[in-house]
Amino acid sequence: MHPFPISCTTWTFAGRPLTEAIAAVAALGFEGVDIPLASQLEVDATGTAERRRVRTAVERAGLVFTGFHWAVPPGHSYSTPDAAQRARTVAYFKRVIEMADEMGVGYITLGCGYTHKIDPAWDHAACIRNARDSWEQWARHLEGKQVRVGLEVLSRLDVNVLNTVSECAAFLRGITGSNLGLTLDTYHMNIEENDFFTPISAHGNLIRVFQVSDNQRNAPGTGHLPWRDLLAMLKAVNYPGFLSFEVPPNAWGKTEPRDAERELAGGLRFLRDVMATL
């Protein structure tokens, strides 16, 4: 019995029709599927019929509709001093929450570094207050809903603030709502954290989503990350969710698409072999 079910993003299959990508995830043997909204299912362009069609495709594939990520497109910021832009962003993400709840999606990851990046010309403390106010509004909007939301901990490659697990945990402290927490990503943690185990053990109760790829953002097992120790720590803190493959459609720095089926199959087999030893 594996301690963690495993999901995969359809992002890896970018360029294919969404229903075809969902079928590919199922054919590889994943248990769940995640969809990047901004590129494949943008909330304002997705009506009731399309939402129903996608949910039916997930169910027919025998998958759990685990999550949304890349939830907000460029042009949105919830930390900006521009009150009108901030209000649009808050309202937009509320619509994302409503769509997730309607479609029976388990969680939403809010990463997208541009949504909370702070321009050096802005007042840093004021922007953090703006960001907290936005999250407090979303926490209230989540009340009575089943969907959970994770603030993704992103490295300096994507954003210039809230780069470590401890920083993001401190940012969320005091914002009400058990549905809120953190999305941890092994690729970003490898860049920012001194080790994997201290932040996981200190903040395991906040982990809502755990995204996986190796240090070079290829499939797990192709790099140098300490996967057995990582999964053992997740097991020790009783992480209840999925391991979510987030492997880009192209190898980092390359233009040609990766051999998605072969690479994902290898990574899935690798993680399951590791879990068999826990």
Side-chain angles (χ1 to χ4, degrees):
M1 179 69 176
H2 296 138
F4 307 109
I6 306 178
S7 64
C8 182
T9 174
T10 55
W11 181 38
T12 314
F13 300 95
R16 302 188 195 181
L18 182 54
T19 53
E20 182 181 318
I22 290 167
V25 169
L28 286 166
F30 289 93
E31 291 114 326
V33 65
D34 307 321
I35 295 178
L37 295 189
S39 64
Q40 295 184 329
L41 200 69
E42 198 275 323
V43 63
D44 289 341
T46 306
T48 301
E50 177 65 7
R51 296 178 188 191
R52 189 180 300 116
R53 188 179 74 89
V54 171
R55 180 172 179 173
T56 298
V58 172
E59 292 171 350
R60 286 179 176 169
L63 295 167
V64 177
F65 205 156
T66 39
F68 289 153
H69 64 114
W70 197 0
V72 178
H76 292 82
S77 170
Y78 60 80
S79 64
T80 176
D82 183 335
Q85 184 184 21
R86 203 164 64 245
R88 286 194 302 272
T89 302
V90 169
Y92 187 97
F93 193 64
K94 285 181 179 179
R95 295 195 295 278
V96 171
I97 291 170
E98 289 160 7
M99 184 167 82
D101 193 54
E102 174 189 334
M103 297 180 72
V105 172
Y107 56 72
I108 309 166
T109 288
L110 183 52
C112 313
Y114 46 79
T115 59
H116 64 278
K117 186 175 183 179
I118 297 177
D119 188 289
W122 298 346
D123 182 311
H124 186 280
C127 288
I128 292 295
R129 288 195 297 271
N130 292 340
R132 277 186 57 89
D133 177 71
S134 299
W135 278 87
E136 286 168 352
Q137 291 183 66
W138 294 328
R140 291 192 294 272
H141 200 67
L142 281 164
E143 291 175 3
K145 298 179 175 64
Q146 296 300 310
V147 64
R148 297 163 294 161
V149 173
L151 167 62
E152 185 172 6
V153 186
L154 297 170
S155 72
R156 69 195 74 184
L157 300 181
D158 286 292
V159 70
N160 60 352
V161 65
L162 302 177
N163 300 124
T164 68
V165 175
S166 61
E167 288 169 346
C168 289
F171 169 79
L172 289 180
R173 190 172 299 130
I175 299 178
T176 59
S178 60
N179 288 11
L180 290 183
L182 300 175
T183 292
L184 272 54
D185 183 314
T186 54
Y187 169 76
H188 292 292
M189 291 180 74
N190 182 62
I191 295 168
E192 295 294 343
E193 304 292 345
N194 293 328
D195 62 82
F196 287 99
F197 316 112
T198 302
I200 290 174
S201 61
H203 304 291
N205 64 311
L206 285 177
I207 304 173
R208 300 293 177 265
V209 186
F210 198 83
Q211 295 179 337
V212 296
S213 61
D214 225 305
N215 61 285
Q216 77 294 62
R217 211 161 193 186
N218 292 335
T222 58
H224 62 62
L225 296 192
W227 288 103
R228 189 183 188 284
D229 292 342
L230 255 172
L231 299 187
M233 179 57 72
L234 283 179
K235 186 177 179 182
V237 298
N238 298 311
Y239 169 62
F242 281 68
L243 304 178
S244 175
F245 271 47
E246 191 181 44
V247 177
N250 310 91
W252 232 224
K254 306 291 184 180
T255 55
E256 66 275 9
R258 64 173 73 246
D259 185 347
E261 277 87 355
R262 181 184 64 81
E263 295 180 41
L264 292 176
L268 182 60
R269 183 168 56 252
F270 170 80
L271 279 192
R272 285 180 173 156
D273 287 346
V274 171
M275 285 192 284
T277 70
L278 296 179

CSV table of all heavy atoms in Angstrom, one decimal, residues 178-215:
chain,number,residue,atom,x,y,z
A,178,SER,N,-9.4,26.9,7.9
A,178,SER,CA,-8.6,25.7,7.8
A,178,SER,C,-8.4,25.3,6.4
A,178,SER,O,-7.6,24.4,6.1
A,178,SER,CB,-9.3,24.6,8.6
A,178,SER,OG,-10.6,24.3,8.1
A,179,ASN,N,-9.2,25.9,5.5
A,179,ASN,CA,-9.0,25.5,4.0
A,179,ASN,C,-7.8,26.1,3.4
A,179,ASN,O,-7.4,25.7,2.3
A,179,ASN,CB,-10.2,26.0,3.2
A,179,ASN,CG,-11.5,25.1,3.5
A,179,ASN,OD1,-11.5,24.3,4.4
A,179,ASN,ND2,-12.5,25.3,2.7
A,180,LEU,N,-7.2,27.1,4.1
A,180,LEU,CA,-6.0,27.7,3.6
A,180,LEU,C,-4.7,27.0,4.1
A,180,LEU,O,-4.7,26.5,5.2
A,180,LEU,CB,-5.9,29.2,4.1
A,180,LEU,CG,-6.9,30.2,3.5
A,180,LEU,CD1,-6.6,31.6,4.0
A,180,LEU,CD2,-6.9,30.2,2.0
A,181,GLY,N,-3.7,27.1,3.3
A,181,GLY,CA,-2.4,26.5,3.7
A,181,GLY,C,-1.4,26.8,2.6
A,181,GLY,O,-1.4,27.8,1.9
A,182,LEU,N,-0.4,25.9,2.5
A,182,LEU,CA,0.7,26.1,1.6
A,182,LEU,C,0.8,25.0,0.5
A,182,LEU,O,0.4,23.8,0.8
A,182,LEU,CB,2.0,26.1,2.4
A,182,LEU,CG,2.2,27.1,3.5
A,182,LEU,CD1,3.5,26.9,4.3
A,182,LEU,CD2,2.1,28.5,2.9
A,183,THR,N,1.3,25.4,-0.6
A,183,THR,CA,1.7,24.4,-1.6
A,183,THR,C,3.2,24.4,-1.6
A,183,THR,O,3.8,25.5,-1.9
A,183,THR,CB,1.2,24.8,-3.0
A,183,THR,OG1,-0.2,24.7,-3.1
A,183,THR,CG2,1.8,23.9,-4.1
A,184,LEU,N,3.8,23.3,-1.4
A,184,LEU,CA,5.3,23.1,-1.4
A,184,LEU,C,5.6,22.5,-2.7
A,184,LEU,O,4.9,21.6,-3.2
A,184,LEU,CB,5.8,22.3,-0.2
A,184,LEU,CG,6.1,23.0,1.0
A,184,LEU,CD1,4.9,23.9,1.5
A,184,LEU,CD2,6.5,22.1,2.1
A,185,ASP,N,6.7,22.9,-3.3
A,185,ASP,CA,7.2,22.4,-4.6
A,185,ASP,C,8.7,22.1,-4.4
A,185,ASP,O,9.5,22.9,-4.1
A,185,ASP,CB,7.0,23.5,-5.6
A,185,ASP,CG,7.4,23.1,-7.0
A,185,ASP,OD1,8.5,22.5,-7.2
A,185,ASP,OD2,6.6,23.4,-8.0
A,186,THR,N,9.0,20.8,-4.7
A,186,THR,CA,10.4,20.4,-4.5
A,186,THR,C,11.4,21.1,-5.3
A,186,THR,O,12.5,21.4,-4.8
A,186,THR,CB,10.5,18.9,-4.8
A,186,THR,OG1,10.1,18.6,-6.1
A,186,THR,CG2,9.7,18.0,-3.8
A,187,TYR,N,11.0,21.5,-6.5
A,187,TYR,CA,12.0,22.3,-7.3
A,187,TYR,C,12.3,23.6,-6.7
A,187,TYR,O,13.5,24.0,-6.6
A,187,TYR,CB,11.3,22.5,-8.7
A,187,TYR,CG,12.1,23.5,-9.6
A,187,TYR,CD1,13.2,23.1,-10.2
A,187,TYR,CD2,11.6,24.8,-9.8
A,187,TYR,CE1,13.9,24.0,-11.0
A,187,TYR,CE2,12.2,25.7,-10.6
A,187,TYR,CZ,13.4,25.3,-11.2
A,187,TYR,OH,14.1,26.2,-12.0
A,188,HIS,N,11.3,24.4,-6.2
A,188,HIS,CA,11.6,25.7,-5.6
A,188,HIS,C,12.2,25.5,-4.2
A,188,HIS,O,13.1,26.3,-3.8
A,188,HIS,CB,10.3,26.4,-5.4
A,188,HIS,CG,9.7,26.9,-6.8
A,188,HIS,ND1,10.3,27.8,-7.5
A,188,HIS,CD2,8.6,26.5,-7.4
A,188,HIS,CE1,9.6,28.0,-8.6
A,188,HIS,NE2,8.5,27.2,-8.6
A,189,MET,N,11.8,24.5,-3.5
A,189,MET,CA,12.5,24.3,-2.1
A,189,MET,C,14.0,24.0,-2.3
A,189,MET,O,14.8,24.4,-1.5
A,189,MET,CB,11.8,23.1,-1.4
A,189,MET,CG,10.4,23.4,-1.0
A,189,MET,SD,9.7,21.9,-0.1
A,189,MET,CE,10.5,22.0,1.5
A,190,ASN,N,14.3,23.2,-3.3
A,190,ASN,CA,15.7,22.9,-3.6
A,190,ASN,C,16.6,24.2,-3.8
A,190,ASN,O,17.8,24.2,-3.5
A,190,ASN,CB,15.9,22.0,-4.8
A,190,ASN,CG,17.3,21.6,-5.0
A,190,ASN,OD1,17.9,20.9,-4.2
A,190,ASN,ND2,17.8,21.9,-6.2
A,191,ILE,N,16.0,25.2,-4.3
A,191,ILE,CA,16.7,26.5,-4.5
A,191,ILE,C,16.8,27.3,-3.2
A,191,ILE,O,17.8,27.9,-2.9
A,191,ILE,CB,16.0,27.3,-5.6
A,191,ILE,CG1,16.1,26.6,-6.9
A,191,ILE,CG2,16.6,28.7,-5.7
A,191,ILE,CD1,15.2,27.1,-8.0
A,192,GLU,N,15.7,27.4,-2.4
A,192,GLU,CA,15.6,28.3,-1.3
A,192,GLU,C,15.9,27.8,0.1
A,192,GLU,O,16.3,28.5,0.9
A,192,GLU,CB,14.2,29.0,-1.3
A,192,GLU,CG,13.9,29.8,-2.5
A,192,GLU,CD,14.8,31.1,-2.6
A,192,GLU,OE1,15.4,31.5,-1.6
A,192,GLU,OE2,14.9,31.6,-3.7
A,193,GLU,N,15.6,26.5,0.3
A,193,GLU,CA,15.7,26.0,1.7
A,193,GLU,C,17.0,25.5,2.0
A,193,GLU,O,17.7,24.9,1.1
A,193,GLU,CB,14.6,24.9,1.9
A,193,GLU,CG,13.2,25.3,1.6
A,193,GLU,CD,12.6,26.3,2.6
A,193,GLU,OE1,13.2,26.5,3.7
A,193,GLU,OE2,11.6,26.9,2.2
A,194,ASN,N,17.5,25.6,3.2
A,194,ASN,CA,18.7,25.0,3.6
A,194,ASN,C,18.7,23.5,3.6
A,194,ASN,O,19.7,22.8,3.4
A,194,ASN,CB,19.1,25.5,5.0
A,194,ASN,CG,19.4,27.0,5.0
A,194,ASN,OD1,19.9,27.5,4.0
A,194,ASN,ND2,19.1,27.6,6.1
A,195,ASP,N,17.5,22.9,3.9
A,195,ASP,CA,17.3,21.5,3.8
A,195,ASP,C,15.8,21.3,3.6
A,195,ASP,O,15.0,22.3,3.8
A,195,ASP,CB,17.8,20.7,5.0
A,195,ASP,CG,17.0,21.2,6.3
A,195,ASP,OD1,15.9,20.7,6.5
A,195,ASP,OD2,17.5,22.0,7.0
A,196,PHE,N,15.3,20.1,3.2
A,196,PHE,CA,13.9,19.9,3.0
A,196,PHE,C,13.2,19.6,4.3
A,196,PHE,O,12.0,19.8,4.5
A,196,PHE,CB,13.7,18.7,2.1
A,196,PHE,CG,14.1,18.9,0.7
A,196,PHE,CD1,15.3,18.6,0.1
A,196,PHE,CD2,13.2,19.6,-0.2
A,196,PHE,CE1,15.6,18.8,-1.2
A,196,PHE,CE2,13.4,19.8,-1.5
A,196,PHE,CZ,14.7,19.5,-2.0
A,197,PHE,N,13.9,19.1,5.3
A,197,PHE,CA,13.2,18.4,6.4
A,197,PHE,C,12.8,19.4,7.5
A,197,PHE,O,11.8,19.2,8.1
A,197,PHE,CB,14.2,17.3,6.9
A,197,PHE,CG,14.8,16.5,5.8
A,197,PHE,CD1,16.1,16.6,5.5
A,197,PHE,CD2,13.9,15.8,4.9
A,197,PHE,CE1,16.7,15.9,4.4
A,197,PHE,CE2,14.5,15.1,3.8
A,197,PHE,CZ,15.8,15.2,3.6
A,198,THR,N,13.6,20.4,7.7
A,198,THR,CA,13.2,21.4,8.8
A,198,THR,C,11.9,22.1,8.4
A,198,THR,O,11.0,22.1,9.3
A,198,THR,CB,14.3,22.4,8.9
A,198,THR,OG1,15.6,21.8,9.3
A,198,THR,CG2,14.0,23.5,10.0
A,199,PRO,N,11.7,22.6,7.2
A,199,PRO,CA,10.4,23.3,7.0
A,199,PRO,C,9.2,22.3,6.9
A,199,PRO,O,8.1,22.7,7.4
A,199,PRO,CB,10.6,24.0,5.6
A,199,PRO,CG,11.8,23.3,5.0
A,199,PRO,CD,12.6,22.9,6.1
A,200,ILE,N,9.4,21.1,6.5
A,200,ILE,CA,8.3,20.1,6.4
A,200,ILE,C,7.9,19.7,7.8
A,200,ILE,O,6.8,19.7,8.2
A,200,ILE,CB,8.7,18.9,5.6
A,200,ILE,CG1,8.8,19.3,4.1
A,200,ILE,CG2,7.7,17.8,5.8
A,200,ILE,CD1,9.3,18.1,3.2
A,201,SER,N,8.9,19.5,8.7
A,201,SER,CA,8.6,19.1,10.1
A,201,SER,C,8.0,20.3,10.9
A,201,SER,O,7.1,20.1,11.7
A,201,SER,CB,9.8,18.6,10.8
A,201,SER,OG,10.8,19.6,10.9
A,202,ALA,N,8.4,21.5,10.6
A,202,ALA,CA,7.9,22.6,11.3
A,202,ALA,C,6.5,23.1,10.9
A,202,ALA,O,5.7,23.6,11.7
A,202,ALA,CB,8.9,23.8,11.2
A,203,HIS,N,6.2,22.8,9.6
A,203,HIS,CA,4.9,23.4,9.0
A,203,HIS,C,4.1,22.3,8.3
A,203,HIS,O,3.3,22.6,7.5
A,203,HIS,CB,5.3,24.5,8.1
A,203,HIS,CG,6.1,25.6,8.7
A,203,HIS,ND1,5.6,26.5,9.7
A,203,HIS,CD2,7.4,26.0,8.5
A,203,HIS,CE1,6.5,27.3,10.1
A,203,HIS,NE2,7.6,27.1,9.4
A,204,GLY,N,4.3,21.1,8.7
A,204,GLY,CA,3.6,20.0,8.0
A,204,GLY,C,2.1,20.1,8.1
A,204,GLY,O,1.4,19.7,7.2
A,205,ASN,N,1.6,20.7,9.2
A,205,ASN,CA,0.1,20.9,9.3
A,205,ASN,C,-0.4,21.9,8.3
A,205,ASN,O,-1.7,21.9,8.1
A,205,ASN,CB,-0.2,21.4,10.7
A,205,ASN,CG,0.4,22.8,11.0
A,205,ASN,OD1,1.6,23.0,10.8
A,205,ASN,ND2,-0.4,23.6,11.6
A,206,LEU,N,0.4,22.7,7.7
A,206,LEU,CA,-0.1,23.7,6.7
A,206,LEU,C,0.0,23.2,5.2
A,206,LEU,O,-0.5,23.9,4.3
A,206,LEU,CB,0.8,25.0,6.8
A,206,LEU,CG,0.5,25.9,8.0
A,206,LEU,CD1,1.5,27.0,8.0
A,206,LEU,CD2,-0.9,26.4,8.0
A,207,ILE,N,0.6,22.0,5.0
A,207,ILE,CA,0.8,21.6,3.6
A,207,ILE,C,-0.5,21.1,3.1
A,207,ILE,O,-1.1,20.2,3.6
A,207,ILE,CB,1.8,20.5,3.5
A,207,ILE,CG1,3.2,20.9,4.1
A,207,ILE,CG2,2.0,20.1,2.1
A,207,ILE,CD1,4.2,19.8,4.2
A,208,ARG,N,-1.0,21.8,2.0
A,208,ARG,CA,-2.3,21.4,1.4
A,208,ARG,C,-2.0,20.7,0.0
A,208,ARG,O,-2.7,19.8,-0.4
A,208,ARG,CB,-3.1,22.6,1.1
A,208,ARG,CG,-3.5,23.4,2.3
A,208,ARG,CD,-4.5,22.6,3.2
A,208,ARG,NE,-4.8,23.3,4.4
A,208,ARG,CZ,-4.2,23.2,5.6
A,208,ARG,NH1,-3.2,22.3,5.7
A,208,ARG,NH2,-4.5,23.8,6.6
A,209,VAL,N,-0.9,21.0,-0.6
A,209,VAL,CA,-0.5,20.4,-1.9
A,209,VAL,C,1.0,20.2,-1.8
A,209,VAL,O,1.8,21.1,-1.3
A,209,VAL,CB,-0.8,21.3,-3.1
A,209,VAL,CG1,-0.5,20.6,-4.4
A,209,VAL,CG2,-2.3,21.8,-3.0
A,210,PHE,N,1.5,19.1,-2.4
A,210,PHE,CA,3.0,18.8,-2.5
A,210,PHE,C,3.3,18.5,-3.9
A,210,PHE,O,3.0,17.4,-4.4
A,210,PHE,CB,3.4,17.7,-1.5
A,210,PHE,CG,4.9,17.7,-1.2
A,210,PHE,CD1,5.4,18.5,-0.3
A,210,PHE,CD2,5.7,16.9,-2.0
A,210,PHE,CE1,6.8,18.5,0.0
A,210,PHE,CE2,7.1,16.9,-1.7
A,210,PHE,CZ,7.6,17.7,-0.7
A,211,GLN,N,3.9,19.5,-4.6
A,211,GLN,CA,4.2,19.3,-6.0
A,211,GLN,C,5.6,18.7,-6.1
A,211,GLN,O,6.6,19.1,-5.4
A,211,GLN,CB,4.2,20.7,-6.7
A,211,GLN,CG,2.8,21.2,-6.8
A,211,GLN,CD,2.7,22.6,-7.5
A,211,GLN,OE1,3.7,23.3,-7.6
A,211,GLN,NE2,1.5,22.9,-8.0
A,212,VAL,N,5.8,17.8,-7.1
A,212,VAL,CA,7.1,17.1,-7.2
A,212,VAL,C,7.7,17.2,-8.6
A,212,VAL,O,7.0,17.1,-9.6
A,212,VAL,CB,7.0,15.6,-6.8
A,212,VAL,CG1,6.6,15.5,-5.3
A,212,VAL,CG2,5.9,14.9,-7.7
A,213,SER,N,8.9,17.5,-8.7
A,213,SER,CA,9.8,17.3,-9.8
A,213,SER,C,11.2,17.3,-9.3
A,213,SER,O,11.4,17.6,-8.1
A,213,SER,CB,9.7,18.4,-10.9
A,213,SER,OG,10.0,19.7,-10.3
A,214,ASP,N,12.2,16.9,-10.1
A,214,ASP,CA,13.5,16.8,-9.5
A,214,ASP,C,14.2,18.1,-9.6
A,214,ASP,O,13.6,19.1,-10.0
A,214,ASP,CB,14.3,15.7,-10.3
A,214,ASP,CG,15.1,14.8,-9.3
A,214,ASP,OD1,15.9,15.4,-8.5
A,214,ASP,OD2,14.9,13.6,-9.3
A,215,ASN,N,15.5,18.2,-9.2
A,215,ASN,CA,16.1,19.5,-9.0
A,215,ASN,C,16.2,20.3,-10.3
A,215,ASN,O,16.2,21.5,-10.3
A,215,ASN,CB,17.5,19.3,-8.5
A,215,ASN,CG,18.4,18.5,-9.4
A,215,ASN,OD1,18.2,17.2,-9.5
A,215,ASN,ND2,19.3,19.1,-10.1
